[in-house]
Each structure stands twice: as structure tokens, then as C-alpha cells.
Amino acid sequence: MTDDFTEIPAIDVSLADDPATLPTLLTSLKTALTDIGFLYISHHGVPSPVIDRLVGILPTLFALPEQAKAGIALENSPHFLGYSAAGTETTAGRADQREQVEFATELDVTDGPLHERLRGPNQWPSELPELRHITERYVDELTKLGERFLRLVALALDLPRDTFFSYLSDQHRLKLVHYPASELASQGVGPHKDSSGWWTFLLQASPDVGGLQVLNKAGAWVDVPAVPGTFVVNIGQAFEVVTHGMAFNGNTYSYVYNPADQNRKATLLLLHGFPSTLHDWRLQIDHFSSKGYGVVALDLLGYGSSSKPYDVQQYRLKPMGDEVVELLDHLGLQQVVGVGHDFGATLLSRMAAYHPERWTALVFLAVGPPKLGTSFDVEMINQMTKQALGFELLGYIPWLASDSAQATLEKHAEAAMNLLFCRDRTAWDQWFHPLEKMKQFVSEDRRLPVGPWYTEDLQRKHLEAFSQPDGYNGVTRWYRMWMDNLFAPDEVGFQDFHISQSALFVVPREPEASAAQQEQMLAAWTPELKTVKVDSGHWVHLEKPLETNKAIEEFLSAS
């Protein structure tokens, strides 16, 4: 099959039972894994009565009274198990019109790391007592299938058959989904990757109802009709992590898009920094959307729910910027106002050079990026600032770019967030800027009071994003790319580039010397630059959202 495949392959698992046919199976399976990413499996060994009993009880389950469903609502469970009504989840910025009940292997509650808090009891509706036995039997059979399939995958990749078992959890999750009849313009569930687990074994329980599609490498959606006696297998992102992405087709991005009103106001493209996600922009999304502006906010590569490739070359500023522009093309946006914070500001400045026609104006928050062609010598900068300030200004970068940082940051994600979003901005001079101090703070699992603007909701979003395995994979590679100057070859020929659009720089008022230096650095290649200083720390859009939003809005009105 090619990049523009029009159907997904079917694998007969029973071929593994005969040594004579096993090689044929493994060859077909490897092709499906590395070239397609989706497949049907038949003759899978799950007894038909087990499947039939589960399918047979689904209409009764979803026909339960609303009071019964509310009694097992997911929001009642700290383990994310239970019922969710249609419209309560969103994908790609749109509500999913599906109701669902989530179950998992029954495990004891623990007080261990954050990810282990997913362990716990299911919620069973008392009105349907037979559901528990039927569901648990189905989970048991699918667990056996999953383990058998995982051994075949290892063999298909020329690995020992039990290679992947050391990575497995003892919890397996089942989602029972009902798609109510809805308008054609709505979505059951939008485009997505399965963000957890090794595989999804999808049973299409309504063979006469279509809707499932997969994306081929050519960018076309391919129908996946129900085939009796099969499961559709989708490779989960846990497998991408362990195999360094060898079985995946390309990068995908999680984003929110609120179109502009018909009064033709501009659309803002919001690019976050470290360590953030699109949720950091919630106050800007709400404000500018309410004013009629369009807003696009995305998890940048390596962050949140977007792809987290292992190849550090993919984090060069040019290819990352090119992919963001592809997203704008997909949304039909020819020109936007670019807004970048921290590393997002640096990415925006490079996109302004590589795609100058796409911007009506530019807004840089907290960080004034250097002009293109400027090499990054972190050792020299740290030596100079040590002499001038008494501590290294960028002492955190060598550790963040190291191979050892990722595991420590994921293990002690809450400590990292406490430091980075601390209330007292001067604490950074002790624990963030100097060499080895961030490493010490995080490794020792220390705590500092966080700013009142660092809300519980945002803390929860950050922990969900960064405490999971691979949460910091992309983040550390951003810094490795920067420290190793991997961006430099792309900037050859752009040394004399100047930003032609009007630009706004919103910068913390203190420390005064740093604000002046960054303004001077940005103004050197941004002739039409306006600067607004706010009384905040690094997180200007979080700490002072009203002032930041007002500055941007006034700038856009005057541009």
C-alpha cells in the first residue's frame, strides 16, 4: 500500500497458529504498523457469545433514566470512570455528540504518583446488575487478545516476543459509546489520536451505521466500514513512545479555533512557550472571542496533546513553523495576527521571516527574540551574566537540554510547576537561573507558593500534560535544538531580514535592565515596534491579563 491508501489491511490472527503461515502474518503486520497505522484483525479468538452479550446489553444501558446515568457520572470519580453525556467532551474545538461509559480493570486505590491515581473502582448502575459480569468478562478476553497481539507485534518488528511486556500497566480500560442521531453538521467525535494505551480494539457494534474514518499520509480521509467478526485496531501513543514513533505517519496538532465574527475582525494565532499548553491562553481566548476576533490556539510540537517526536531535528524552528502555517492553510486563514510568549515568541519571529506574507501584525510577550543569524552560545552568556549579576542567567538550559532532565521533570512535575509559576518572582534568581539549581529544586521535590493567577484548573491541566510518560519529551528537545544551534542552517541568508509589520512588545517592567535589553534587541530588526511595560513577572498574559489584553486590543485598533 502507498501513502494514498484507500482501505486499511485485514490481518488473520489465526495464521500465527501455524509455523508455515506465521511469516506471512508477520510481514503483513509489519507493513500495517509502519506504513498504515490501522488494521482489521479477524479470527481473533474472542468468543462470539462474550461479544454478543456485551452488544446486546448496550441499548438497555444507554436507555437508563437520566437519574441512573447521573448516579454513575464520570465527574463523581477521581479515577475518570463513569458516564459522560453527549456534548461534554470536545475534539478540535467542537463538541462531540456521543454519550459514553468508561470502565477499567478493578484495582485498589493508591496514594502513589499522579498517574497511578487512575486506579480505582468502577461505577456500576444498580438498575442493571448484570452489566458488571458481562463487562468484566469482555475486558478479560480483550486483555488476552491484547497480550497475544503485542507478542506478534514484537515478532513483526524482529524483536523478542516479550519485549514490550515490561512497559505494560495492569490496568486496561473499556469505553462503551453511543452516538445519538444528530444533525449532519455535528460530529460524533472529531479527528484525534488515541492518547493513551498501546492499542484500541474497536468493535463497530452497529454494522449498518458508518462514520469511522482514518487519515492517510496524503491527507485524505478513508472510510472504515464495519466488517463482521473483526476488530479495528488503532495504534495508541504509548506504542509511539516506546518505538520512537516508527509506526506513525506524521505530526498532529491539538488546537482550538474560534472563527472571527462576520465584521471581518482579525484572527489571532496564539503560540505558547515553556512549559505551557494552549490552555494557558484561556483568558485571551475568552476575551478576544467575545470581542468578535478569531482565535487559533494550539499545543506546539512536543507539548500537550500534539505529537512528541523523538527526532530533535523536527524541533528546528523552520519545520515547526512550516507545520503551523499548514494548519492555517487547513483552516483557510491567509493572514493572522501572530501572538507569541516565551519560546513561542521566538518561533513567531522566525515564522515572520520564513512566511512574511501571512501576518498583519505581530505581538511578542515577555521575550524579545534576537535577529535571525544570531548564534546561541549559552556558555558565554552564562559566564557574562555570572560576572554582571552574580549568577548565570540561563543556567537552567544545559540541564533542560540534557538526556537526564526528562525523567526527573516527569517524576516531579508538580515541583517543576511550583518553581516556574511561583508567586515570588525573585525566587528564580536563586532556584531557576543559576547553574544546576533548577535540577536541584526539582530532584529534591521542593515547593514554593504559586502565584494566585496560577489557578487550580491550570495546575491540573499542566500536571495532566507534563506528569505523564513522555510529557517532557518534546520540551527537552526544544532546548537541545536551541543549545546545539540546530536552527542555524535554516537562517542562512536571513541575517539582514527585518520585520516589516507593526509589532507590539509587552514586557515585564522589572528587572528594568532586562526589559531594556530585550526591547533593544527586538527593536534592532523590528522598525515598527511599540513597547508596553506591565508590572508582572514572566507570565504577563496570566498575571496581568486585563492589561495585556487591553494593550493588544489597542494596538490592533491603531494598526
Side-chain angles (χ1 to χ4, degrees):
M1 293 189 179
T2 62
D3 289 356
D4 58 350
F5 65 86
T6 58
E7 61 182 8
I8 67 172
I11 304 294
D12 181 349
V13 180
S14 69
L15 295 178
D17 299 333
D18 185 345
T21 55
L22 177 60
T24 300
L25 165 66
L26 297 180
T27 299
S28 299
L29 180 56
K30 184 174 184 178
T31 299
L33 293 170
T34 58
D35 293 350
I36 308 298
F38 308 91
L39 61 149
Y40 293 104
I41 58 170
S42 64
H43 300 95
H44 41 68
V46 179
S48 295
V50 173
I51 296 174
D52 293 342
R53 282 193 290 270
L54 181 70
V55 173
I57 204 170
L58 292 180
T60 306
L61 171 63
F62 288 107
L64 288 174
E66 294 303 316
Q67 183 177 358
K69 294 177 180 177
I72 59 168
L74 185 141
E75 62 189 25
N76 300 331
S77 169
H79 317 294
F80 298 96
L81 300 171
Y83 173 79
S84 300
T88 57
E89 290 190 354
T90 60
T91 305
R94 298 177 60 196
D96 296 331
Q97 297 304 316
R98 60 175 179 172
E99 57 176 340
Q100 57 197 14
V101 188
E102 299 196 40
F103 299 103
T105 311
E106 290 272 358
L107 299 170
D108 293 334
V109 178
T110 70
D111 294 324
L114 188 66
H115 67 273
E116 289 189 3
R117 298 176 200 174
L118 294 173
R119 302 164 63 99
N122 291 297
Q123 299 188 84
W124 302 102
S126 59
E127 297 83 356
L128 198 60
E130 62 270 34
L131 177 66
R132 178 166 186 168
H133 173 73
I134 292 172
T135 300
E136 289 183 338
R137 177 68 194 283
Y138 184 84
V139 170
D140 288 344
E141 291 295 339
L142 266 292
T143 299
K144 296 175 187 176
L145 172 60
E147 292 176 352
R148 183 187 185 195
F149 187 72
L150 195 57
R151 289 188 174 96
L152 292 175
V153 168
L155 294 175
L157 300 177
D158 301 315
L159 297 170
R161 57 188 293 117
D162 291 333
T163 294
F164 299 117
F165 275 70
S166 62
Y167 297 97
L168 290 185
S169 164
D170 55 354
Q171 185 183 65
H172 306 284
R173 300 179 77 88
L174 170 67
K175 182 180 293 188
L176 304 178
V177 182
H178 172 230
Y179 297 93
S182 58
E183 299 177 358
L184 289 177
S186 66
Q187 66 178 21
V189 59
H192 66 283
K193 280 187 176 182
D194 288 340
S195 59
S196 63
W198 287 72
W199 322 103
T200 297
F201 292 98
L202 175 63
L203 174 66
Q204 295 177 283
S206 301
D208 297 329
V209 179
L212 179 63
Q213 294 180 312
V214 300
L215 188 67
N216 66 21
K217 292 183 181 180
W221 288 100
V222 177
D223 290 333
V224 183
V227 176
T230 69
F231 290 100
V232 176
V233 182
N234 179 26
I235 301 172
Q237 288 187 309
F239 188 68
E240 179 183 10
V241 171
V242 173
T243 60
H244 291 199
M246 56 78 61
F248 280 75
N249 298 332
N251 296 325
T252 62
Y253 286 85
S254 172
Y255 66 92
V256 170
Y257 174 42
N258 295 338
D261 286 349
Q262 294 182 352
N263 59 9
R264 300 189 180 278
K265 282 193 174 180
T267 294
L268 280 63
L269 172 68
L270 306 177
L271 305 173
H272 66 76
F274 161 80
S276 301
T277 69
L278 64 84
H279 298 287
D280 289 51
W281 295 111
R282 67 199 185 286
L283 299 175
Q284 285 67 46
I285 294 172
D286 291 345
H287 174 79
F288 286 100
S289 295
S290 71
K291 298 288 186 177
Y293 290 92
V295 177
V296 180
L298 68 152
D299 289 333
L300 289 174
L301 191 68
Y303 286 86
S305 298
S306 293
S307 294
K308 301 177 179 66
Y310 275 75
D311 182 4
V312 69
Q313 291 286 342
Q314 291 200 46
Y315 295 91
R316 296 183 353 258
L317 298 173
K318 187 177 189 307
M320 282 198 296
D322 292 346
E323 291 184 351
V324 175
V325 169
E326 287 182 24
L327 172 61
L328 297 180
D329 290 340
H330 171 72
L331 297 175
L333 298 170
Q334 295 304 309
Q335 287 193 311
V336 295
V337 176
V339 182
H341 174 256
D342 187 74
F343 237 139
T346 302
L347 176 61
L348 176 62
S349 71
R350 272 50 189 169
M351 293 171 66
Y354 301 136
H355 302 278
E357 74 285 355
R358 305 306 293 258
W359 317 100
T360 58
L362 302 171
V363 179
F364 302 97
L365 303 182
V367 170
K371 65 183 300 185
L372 280 78
T374 304
S375 63
F376 183 64
D377 188 338
V378 68
E379 184 176 352
M380 180 190 70
I381 294 172
N382 281 333
Q383 289 175 353
M384 293 176 60
T385 53
K386 174 77 170 180
Q387 294 176 355
L389 304 174
F391 58 84
E392 301 87 356
L393 187 64
L394 304 181
Y396 57 93
I397 289 183
W399 181 59
L400 288 176
S402 69
D403 292 332
S404 63
Q406 179 184 339
T408 304
L409 287 163
E410 290 167 3
K411 181 179 181 181
H412 302 295
E414 190 170 351
M417 295 303 164
N418 268 243
L419 173 59
L420 293 164
F421 294 88
C422 64
R423 181 175 60 203
D424 181 5
R425 71 188 71 165
T426 63
W428 279 18
D429 296 345
Q430 177 183 0
W431 288 111
F432 182 58
H433 293 300
L435 275 170
E436 296 291 314
K437 297 303 286 186
M438 183 184 185
K439 176 182 178 181
Q440 178 187 348
F441 186 97
V442 176
S443 299
E444 294 176 356
D445 205 31
R446 290 174 174 263
R447 295 291 187 275
L448 285 170
V450 297
W453 36 267
Y454 190 41
T455 64
E456 290 185 4
D457 179 64
L458 187 55
Q459 292 177 49
R460 180 174 58 83
K461 295 290 188 183
H462 282 170
L463 287 175
E464 288 175 358
F466 295 108
S467 66
Q468 63 178 317
D470 230 32
Y472 273 96
N473 167 52
V475 176
T476 55
R477 280 159 177 77
W478 272 70
Y479 277 100
R480 193 172 307 162
M481 174 278 299
W482 196 247
M483 189 169 171
D484 291 346
N485 283 266
L486 298 182
F487 59 87
D490 296 321
E491 297 188 359
V492 173
F494 287 89
Q495 292 88 336
D496 296 326
F497 172 78
H498 285 70
I499 292 174
S500 60
Q501 295 87 352
S502 297
L504 172 67
F505 185 31
V506 182
V507 62
R509 194 180 307 277
E510 300 291 341
E512 185 176 354
S514 175
Q517 181 186 32
Q518 295 212 52
E519 180 182 9
Q520 182 181 18
M521 185 164 55
L522 181 57
W525 61 296
T526 311
E528 301 295 326
L529 181 67
K530 175 184 178 182
T531 299
V532 173
K533 296 180 180 179
V534 296
D535 184 18
S536 76
H538 178 70
W539 308 99
V540 292
H541 57 309
L542 296 175
E543 298 180 47
K544 299 292 182 180
L546 295 180
E547 293 180 32
T548 301
N549 294 347
K550 180 181 178 182
I552 296 173
E553 195 168 359
E554 290 180 349
F555 166 70
L556 295 179
S557 297
S559 298

